[in-house]
């Protein structure tokens, strides 16, 4: 079914809790009906905004263009072998509800991504990642709807061109693609992933947790570090962790011996943006109704009533200060609309 709303309030539809409206807001769980509407040209698709739960977005007021929100939440087991299971999930499903379901079935692969805010449909777009893994590792394919040609099509994992917080869905040529379903390949005899040090250290040495225990641990670690959007509006990491050459990192280590670095690709390392921002003195700082979360400098928080402009201007100041101190341009992870 398709529901079309006019002048729809978006405050509840973005995790920053920003006041905004959509002149046209469409919600649907029926791809055939949606495709028919597209074929009949009844939807203005000149500037579509595909919105999940709005957990990675800064919304300006009002949103120009049509907002489309998928509400299909069906989980279907497509194939099962001795070792693995292929599962299709509707884009409108809450991500953590889906992870909870996979863990309850003892299907392994997504447990380290517990409690990430957002929808299943948004997961492949920015290739959500945390605690030593990322969605791309388990995504087998993605079913999308192309609004320009009014057709449904499928992309393999390779065609999704996944990278660090990146995918084909972020490219300009994919502007009219709406993620409709995601197909995941999960393990029936799960191998746990304890590669993220604080997660490993959560358990006694030599202890081998199962995926239920991993999920519980990730939920505890996440909740201790990151603000709950229901309490303080935020969009998780505001910036990506920058990737620099191993050579540049080596030079930085001479001045800052404690700088944490993580292997990225051969010859490059990732530097935690949170460390760069904290070292520039921003952590915990508050400007009116916006601020930098005191426990994680990568997160910008709306303390209530903040505007998109206030958030963006604080983010710009942070970028400038990190550039001046370290010569590194922080790239925003959130999408500004
Ligand atoms: N750090 C600081 N100061 C801070 C924050 C971090 O010095 O204020 C240092 C920590 O001490 C640690 C390092 O930075 O040495 C890494 O910190 P953390 O493990 O908290 O992870 P992160 O790199 O800051 C990334 C993801 C998070 C994800 C965590 C855990 C990005 C942009 N962010 O953060 O993802 O939860 O790893 O895996 O890659 C998100 O994308 O919204 C998100 C929260």
């Amino acid at each position: 079914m398709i529901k079309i709303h006019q002048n729809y309030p978006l405050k509840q539809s973005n995790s920053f809790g920003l006041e905004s409206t959509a002149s046209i807001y469409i919600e649907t769980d029926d791809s055939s009906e949606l495709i028919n509407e597209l074929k009949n040209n009844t939807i203005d698709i000149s500037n579509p905004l595909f919105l999940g739960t709005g957990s990675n977005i800064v919304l300006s007021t009002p949103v120009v263009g049509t907002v489309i929100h998928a509400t299909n939440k069906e989980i279907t087991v497509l194939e099962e072998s001795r070792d693995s299971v292929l599962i299709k999930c509707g884009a409108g499903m809450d991500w953590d509800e889906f992870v909870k379901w996979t863990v309850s079935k003892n299907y392994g692969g997504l447990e380290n991504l517990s409690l990430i805010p957002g929808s299943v449909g948004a997961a492949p777009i920015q290739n959500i990642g945390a605690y030593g893994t990322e969605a791309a590792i388990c995504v087998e394919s993605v079913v999308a709807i192309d609004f320009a040609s009014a057709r449904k099509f499928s992309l393999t994992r390779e065609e999704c061109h996944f990278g660090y917080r990146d995918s084909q869905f972020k490219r300009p040529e994919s502007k009219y693609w709406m993620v409709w379903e995601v197909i995941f390949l999960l393990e029936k005899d799960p191998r746990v992933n304890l590669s993220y040090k604080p997660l490993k250290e959560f358990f006694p040495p030599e202890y081998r947790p199962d995926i239920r225990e991993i999920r519980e641990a990730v939920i505890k670690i996440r909740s201790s570090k990151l603000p709950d959007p229901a309490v303080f509006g935020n969009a998780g990491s505001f910036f990506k962790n920058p990737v620099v050459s191993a050579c540049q990192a080596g030079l930085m280590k001479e001045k800052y011996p404690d700088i944490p670095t993580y292997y990225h690709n051969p010859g490059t390392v990732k530097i935690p943006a949170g460390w760069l921002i904290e070292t520039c003195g921003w952590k915990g700082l508050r400007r009116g109704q916006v601020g930098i979360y005191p426990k994680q400098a990568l997160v910008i928080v709306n303390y209530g009533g903040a505007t998109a402009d206030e958030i963006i201007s604080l983010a710009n100041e942070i970028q400038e200060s990190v550039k001046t101190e370290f010569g590194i341009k922080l790239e925003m992870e959130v999408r500004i609309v």
Side-chain angles (χ1 to χ4, degrees):
M1 183 175 153
I2 290 195
K3 285 192 210 158
I4 301 180
H5 310 263
Q6 286 181 347
N7 298 322
Y8 188 83
L10 294 174
K11 189 171 179 180
Q12 307 294 331
S13 304
N14 73 102
S15 62
F16 256 122
L18 296 171
E19 296 282 357
S20 184
T21 50
S23 46
I24 307 275
Y25 182 92
I26 298 177
E27 39 186 344
T28 180
D29 61 357
D30 186 335
S31 60
S32 310
E33 207 181 339
L34 176 62
I35 287 169
N36 268 338
E37 298 286 340
L38 291 168
K39 283 186 177 151
N40 295 334
N41 291 318
T42 50
I43 297 173
D44 172 12
I45 59 143
S46 51
N47 210 1
L49 171 63
F50 304 116
L51 192 63
T53 60
S55 55
N56 199 47
I57 204 160
V58 178
L59 287 177
S60 56
T61 304
V63 174
V64 185
T66 306
V67 174
I68 304 103
H69 176 68
T71 53
N72 54 331
K73 297 181 181 176
E74 208 180 331
I75 298 175
T76 315
V77 174
L78 299 176
E79 263 177 53
E80 216 169 329
S81 70
R82 199 173 55 102
D83 306 321
S84 63
V85 57
L86 200 61
I87 298 164
K88 181 169 78 175
C89 184
M93 179 69 156
D94 176 75
W95 173 261
D96 193 50
E97 280 298 313
F98 178 60
V99 175
K100 191 171 155 193
W101 180 87
T102 62
V103 171
S104 76
K105 299 281 182 196
N106 201 36
Y107 297 152
L110 302 179
E111 58 282 356
N112 292 43
L113 303 177
S114 290
L115 209 65
I116 295 184
S119 62
V120 165
I125 297 175
Q126 70 144 353
N127 184 16
I128 55 171
Y131 306 110
T133 192
E134 54 186 25
I137 292 173
C138 295
V139 171
E140 184 69 2
S141 59
V142 174
V143 175
I145 296 174
D146 178 15
F147 272 44
S149 62
R151 68 181 183 106
K152 209 192 229 186
F153 66 105
S154 187
L155 284 103
T156 62
R157 179 188 300 151
E158 290 68 33
E159 288 166 337
C160 289
H161 298 131
F162 289 120
Y164 167 57
R165 296 294 191 277
D166 194 27
S167 77
Q168 178 61 39
F169 300 97
K170 285 186 156 185
R171 311 276 151 82
E173 66 269 23
S174 312
K175 177 180 170 182
Y176 297 102
W177 297 0
M178 179 188 198
V179 173
W180 187 252
E181 288 157 338
V182 186
I183 290 113
F184 297 91
L185 185 64
L186 302 178
E187 290 181 343
K188 284 172 73 177
D189 184 16
R191 283 165 296 170
V192 294
N193 174 352
L194 289 175
S195 60
Y196 180 79
K197 212 166 147 224
L199 183 59
K200 189 174 167 57
E201 288 169 353
F202 188 89
F203 299 101
E206 310 305 326
Y207 185 75
R208 299 300 295 166
D210 62 24
I211 62 169
R212 287 177 185 80
E213 292 168 301
I214 295 272
R215 172 169 165 82
E216 281 165 26
V218 165
I219 289 175
K220 283 197 181 127
I221 296 171
R222 245 194 114 82
S223 310
S224 71
K225 283 189 182 179
L226 296 165
D228 177 355
V231 181
F232 295 122
N234 74 88
S237 302
F238 200 93
F239 301 100
K240 288 189 194 181
N241 286 336
V243 175
V244 302
S245 69
C247 177
Q248 185 179 356
L251 291 171
M252 288 172 82
K253 267 208 191 283
E254 285 174 15
K255 189 171 174 197
Y256 300 96
D258 297 336
I259 190 169
T261 53
Y262 301 99
Y263 171 82
H264 181 60
N265 284 325
T268 62
V269 296
K270 249 193 238 168
I271 299 181
W275 184 91
L276 297 169
I277 297 167
E278 178 173 350
T279 306
C280 288
W282 289 98
K283 197 170 183 172
L285 188 135
R286 184 170 167 170
R287 287 267 170 81
Q289 294 312 104
V290 292
I292 292 91
Y293 192 56
K295 294 185 199 167
Q296 166 55 286
L298 200 46
V299 180
I300 295 185
V301 176
N302 172 6
Y303 285 108
T307 64
D309 283 351
E310 285 174 289
I311 292 170
I312 294 163
S313 103
L314 179 63
N316 288 339
E317 261 192 79
I318 293 172
Q319 278 174 320
E320 274 167 38
S321 106
V322 169
K323 177 90 185 145
T324 306
E325 180 63 27
F326 298 102
I328 291 175
K329 165 115 173 62
L330 287 185
E331 204 182 308
M332 290 187 194
E333 198 212 90
V334 296
R335 194 170 157 209
I336 314 276
V337 175

